[in-house]
Amino acid sequence: MKKLPKLGFLYLDYVLRFFDKSNFKGWPDKIETVTYHWKNDKNRFIKEVKRKKIDVLIGNIPATAYDTFVEISKELPNVRFVPSLETQFSNKSKENVTLFCEKYNLSVPYTKIFYNKEKGFKYLKNKAKYPQIVKRSYGPSNYGGYYVHKVDNYKEAKTLLEKEKYNPIYTQDAIDLKFSGDIRVMLIGHKPVCAFWRFSGEGQWITNTSQGGSMSYENVPMNALELAVEASKAAKAEYWACDIAIDAKTDKAYILECATAFAAFPYIRDWICQYLMWDFSNGKFPMPHVPLFSWEELGKIDSSLLRTMRHIGFSKYKPSCDGTYFINEPKDKFKMEIAEPSLPSDVPASIAPEKLPIAKELSKNATRDNLEINKINLNCASLTDLMTLHGMEEDLALEISEYAKNNVITDSSDLLELESIDEQVLKTWDENLDDMRVDINTADESILKKIKGIGAKLAKNIFEFRNKNKGIKDLDQLKELEGIGKNKLAQLKSRLKIGE
C-alpha cells in the first residue's frame, strides 16, 4: 500500500468528541491528537499541527470557534480539514443554513433575518404570517431544541425577543408538519445511511426526543432523502445530516437544519470513518456498503442495545453460479447469557451553556458571514469532492483520481481519454468545475510537460523562455517560440493563464 496521509484528531476542550481511534479500525498508522484550548491558543495549536506533520485534521468545529479556525486553516494551507471549513459553514448559525440553502436553491421555509431590531419588529407586526418559528441563530443552539420557539402572534413574538435578546432576529414561516413530525436524515459520502421520523410529544409542538418526542424508522418518504442528498453534494460533505419537514398539505420537503455535527450511534460513526479511510487511501480500504432503508431493520433493535453495537457490516448480493443456496439452521445448543442492559441514565447529562468555562465565548454576538463555496479542481479533488458530480460512481472517481496523479488536467475534455467518460457527461459537470488552467509563471518544467499538448521538449523551451524574459506578461509572447503558430497558441491559451 502506498504511503498514507498522517491523520490527526481535532479536539476542543469542553466539546464532545465525535470520533476516536476505535472508529478507525484497521488504520495501520498512529493517529495523532491535537486539542484546542480556546482563548489565545491559536498560535500554539498551529505549531503543534506542524510539529506533528499532520496531513489531515478530523473533527467538527463548534459555532463559537468557527471564525478562529477559518484563520487557522489559512495558516495551514497544506492540511486538509475534515469536514472542510467550507462544508462546516452551516454549523455556525441558523443564518448560515439559510444562506447555504438559498445559494443552492434548496427548499427551505420562508425565512427573514434582521440585524436591525426595529425592522424585525415591524416585519413581525405588519407582514409576518403566523405562526412563526423564532430561533437563536448563533451559538450553542442545538441543546434539545431549547432555543427554538413557536409564536402565534406579534405580541408573543415581541415578548419573546425582548426577553431572549436574540441577535439577529431569525424567524421562519411555520410548516404544517405532516404527522406532527420532522425527519432526520444522516448521510455518508452523499448516501443516506439512517433516517427516521421524530414526532412531538403529547401537548408539545417541538419534535426533539429529549423533550418527550418519539421516533420511527418506518416510511421515510423518498423526496426527503433526495433533498438531503442534494444538500450533501452542494456542501461537498464527507458526512452530513439534515432535519427535513414535510408539508401536510402539499407533501413538499423543506430543510429545517443541516450540519456535520449531529448525534449518532457508534456504529454510524464507524461507518463514517470507514468511508474516510476509503477516501484518504484512494480506495485501498473498502467503502462501507449500507443498503438503502437498512435503518428500518436496525431500528427494530432496542435502542439500549443498538447504542452498544459496533462495526456493523452488510454484504453486497452476489448470485451463486447455480442460483441455489441451502441454509440449514443449526440446533441451538446453548443459552444466550443475559447481557446487562444499557440505560439512558448511563449517559451523562448535558451541561447548560451558561455553566461552561467558555460561557463568554458562547454569548458573543453574531457576525454576518459571506458564503464562499469553492468549485472542484480535478487535480487536487478528494474522492468525496468527485462523488458530488452528477452520476459519479466509486470506480470512476478512483479512475479520475489515478489519472490526475499522472497528468495535469487543465480542461475537463482531458478526461475524454477515459473510456467511461463522454462529452455529454462532461457537460453535466462543467458548471461545478473550477478554472484548472495552469499559471505559466509559477509552474515548473515537470508540471508543464504533463499538460496535454505540451510534452517534454516544449515544456523545456517555455520554461527557459520564461526565465530569460523574467516572466511572461502576455501569452501572445509564446509566438516567439519555434513551432508555436496560430492554432498551437490557441490551444495553449486554453490550458495556460497568467496569475490566479
Side-chain angles (χ1 to χ4, degrees):
M1 184 179 291
K2 294 182 180 179
K3 184 181 178 183
L4 297 168
K6 183 77 170 290
L7 305 187
F9 290 121
L10 168 55
Y11 293 148
L12 296 93
D13 287 341
Y14 320 117
V15 177
L16 290 174
R17 298 177 176 185
F18 199 56
F19 301 123
D20 61 30
K21 293 175 184 177
S22 69
N23 300 119
F24 282 81
K25 186 177 181 181
W27 189 259
D29 302 333
K30 178 183 178 182
I31 302 179
E32 299 286 355
T33 297
V34 189
T35 303
Y36 180 71
H37 302 306
W38 298 89
K39 295 189 177 178
N40 299 316
D41 195 42
K42 184 174 74 172
N43 292 333
R44 183 210 61 82
F45 180 89
I46 291 169
K47 288 178 182 178
E48 184 174 356
V49 173
K50 290 180 177 179
R51 178 172 57 81
K52 291 183 174 179
K53 298 180 180 179
I54 292 171
D55 299 308
V56 181
L57 265 179
I58 306 161
N60 291 314
I61 297 165
T64 45
Y66 180 81
D67 291 332
T68 299
F69 272 88
V70 169
E71 296 173 5
I72 288 173
S73 67
K74 292 176 181 176
E75 297 294 323
L76 297 168
N78 297 319
V79 175
R80 176 182 172 187
F81 285 77
V82 175
S84 70
L85 274 297
E86 172 190 337
T87 299
Q88 296 195 59
F89 178 83
S90 298
N91 290 8
K92 183 184 174 183
S93 66
K94 309 296 185 194
E95 179 183 9
N96 282 16
V97 172
T98 300
L99 292 172
F100 167 74
C101 291
E102 288 177 349
K103 181 175 179 67
Y104 287 99
N105 296 317
L106 301 169
S107 176
V108 65
Y110 183 75
T111 304
K112 297 293 285 185
I113 303 165
F114 298 96
Y115 277 83
N116 182 301
K117 186 171 72 172
E118 273 61 41
K119 287 184 178 180
F121 282 158
K122 186 176 180 181
Y123 168 81
L124 290 166
K125 183 177 182 179
N126 300 322
K127 294 185 177 181
K129 297 178 181 179
Y130 288 91
Q132 287 282 301
I133 304 298
V134 177
K135 301 178 182 180
R136 177 180 178 176
S137 175
Y138 175 77
S141 49
N142 286 326
Y143 281 81
Y146 293 107
Y147 297 101
V148 180
H149 315 268
K150 183 180 180 183
V151 292
D152 292 314
N153 51 58
Y154 171 65
K155 183 179 178 181
E156 288 184 13
K158 186 177 181 185
T159 300
L160 169 72
L161 291 166
E162 286 179 341
K163 176 187 174 185
E164 301 294 345
K165 295 180 172 55
Y166 290 160
N167 180 40
I169 294 174
Y170 181 99
T171 185
Q172 292 181 321
D173 286 358
I175 303 295
D176 182 10
L177 297 176
K178 190 171 186 177
F179 306 138
S180 298
D182 64 8
I183 299 165
R184 166 68 59 87
V185 183
M186 303 178 192
L187 306 97
I188 302 174
H190 320 305
K191 295 182 179 180
V193 298
C194 184
F196 50 86
W197 285 92
R198 304 186 302 177
F199 304 113
S200 56
E202 188 174 349
Q204 299 286 329
W205 67 272
I206 202 160
T207 60
N208 202 288
T209 53
S210 67
Q211 294 198 42
S214 58
M215 56 189 290
S216 170
Y217 293 90
E218 302 290 331
N219 301 316
V220 174
M222 186 58 74
N223 65 333
L225 302 180
E226 290 171 346
L227 181 57
V229 169
E230 193 178 352
S232 174
K233 287 189 172 185
K236 298 198 269 295
E238 291 86 359
Y239 54 93
W240 189 249
C242 287
D243 291 344
I244 293 175
I246 304 295
D247 190 295
K249 295 185 181 68
T250 65
D251 277 338
K252 183 175 179 178
Y254 295 89
I255 289 178
L256 301 177
E257 308 280 354
C258 52
T260 63
F262 52 91
F265 282 161
Y267 72 88
I268 291 178
R269 298 201 295 270
D270 292 335
W271 287 342
I272 292 171
C273 293
Q274 190 179 345
Y275 172 84
L276 293 178
M277 288 164 62
W278 170 81
D279 187 326
F280 300 157
S281 68
N282 271 338
K284 301 301 185 292
F285 285 92
M287 179 190 280
H289 172 63
V290 184
L292 200 62
F293 298 110
S294 60
W295 53 79
E296 291 186 355
E297 299 305 314
L298 288 171
K300 295 174 183 177
I301 301 173
D302 188 273
S303 61
S304 63
L305 175 60
L306 194 58
R307 68 164 55 97
T308 68
M309 298 175 70
R310 300 294 306 273
H311 302 289
I312 299 173
F314 298 93
S315 298
K316 290 186 179 180
Y317 172 68
K318 293 182 180 179
S320 64
C321 56
D322 60 1
T324 304
Y325 277 120
F326 294 94
I327 302 174
N328 297 317
E329 188 170 349
K331 187 176 180 180
D332 191 7
K333 295 182 180 180
F334 64 91
K335 291 182 179 180
M336 178 68 72
E337 292 183 1
I338 298 175
E340 183 179 355
S342 175
L343 303 173
S345 58
D346 296 334
V347 182
S350 298
I351 301 174
E354 60 271 14
K355 293 182 179 179
L356 286 170
I358 56 170
K360 287 184 179 179
E361 281 87 348
L362 299 181
S363 61
K364 288 179 180 176
N365 284 332
T367 54
R368 186 179 291 273
D369 285 324
N370 293 317
L371 175 56
E372 295 182 7
I373 300 292
N374 297 321
K375 292 190 174 185
I376 296 171
N377 185 323
L378 296 173
N379 294 292
C380 54
S382 68
L383 290 175
T384 296
D385 292 338
L386 294 175
M387 290 298 293
T388 66
L389 296 173
H390 179 76
M392 183 62 71
E393 296 291 339
E394 290 93 337
D395 289 345
L396 181 55
L398 289 169
E399 191 176 356
I400 293 172
S401 181
E402 196 64 33
Y403 178 85
K405 288 179 184 177
N406 302 310
N407 301 273
V408 174
I409 303 171
T410 56
D411 186 84
S412 61
S413 62
D414 294 354
L415 296 181
L416 291 173
E417 293 182 19
L418 303 180
E419 188 176 350
S420 307
I421 294 178
D422 56 32
E423 290 183 358
Q424 192 61 39
V425 170
L426 295 180
K427 283 182 181 179
T428 66
W429 293 354
D430 278 344
E431 67 177 16
N432 298 307
L433 297 180
D434 201 0
D435 178 2
M436 296 178 287
R437 291 177 299 160
V438 172
D439 182 358
I440 194 170
N441 285 316
T442 59
D444 60 29
E445 190 176 335
S446 64
I447 295 293
L448 290 171
K449 72 180 182 181
K450 289 183 180 180
I451 297 173
K452 188 173 181 180
I454 293 185
K457 182 179 178 180
L458 182 54
K460 183 179 180 182
N461 291 342
I462 292 174
F463 186 72
E464 291 176 349
F465 179 78
R466 183 188 79 191
N467 291 343
K468 179 182 177 182
N469 289 276
K470 297 181 180 180
I472 295 175
K473 296 179 180 179
D474 190 317
L475 291 176
D476 285 333
Q477 290 177 246
L478 296 177
K479 290 189 293 186
E480 298 177 29
L481 289 173
E482 184 181 352
I484 297 183
K486 184 178 179 181
N487 292 337
K488 188 67 174 179
L489 181 64
Q491 182 189 40
L492 291 175
K493 283 184 175 181
S494 70
R495 300 187 177 279
L496 300 171
K497 62 182 178 179
I498 295 174
E500 292 300 318

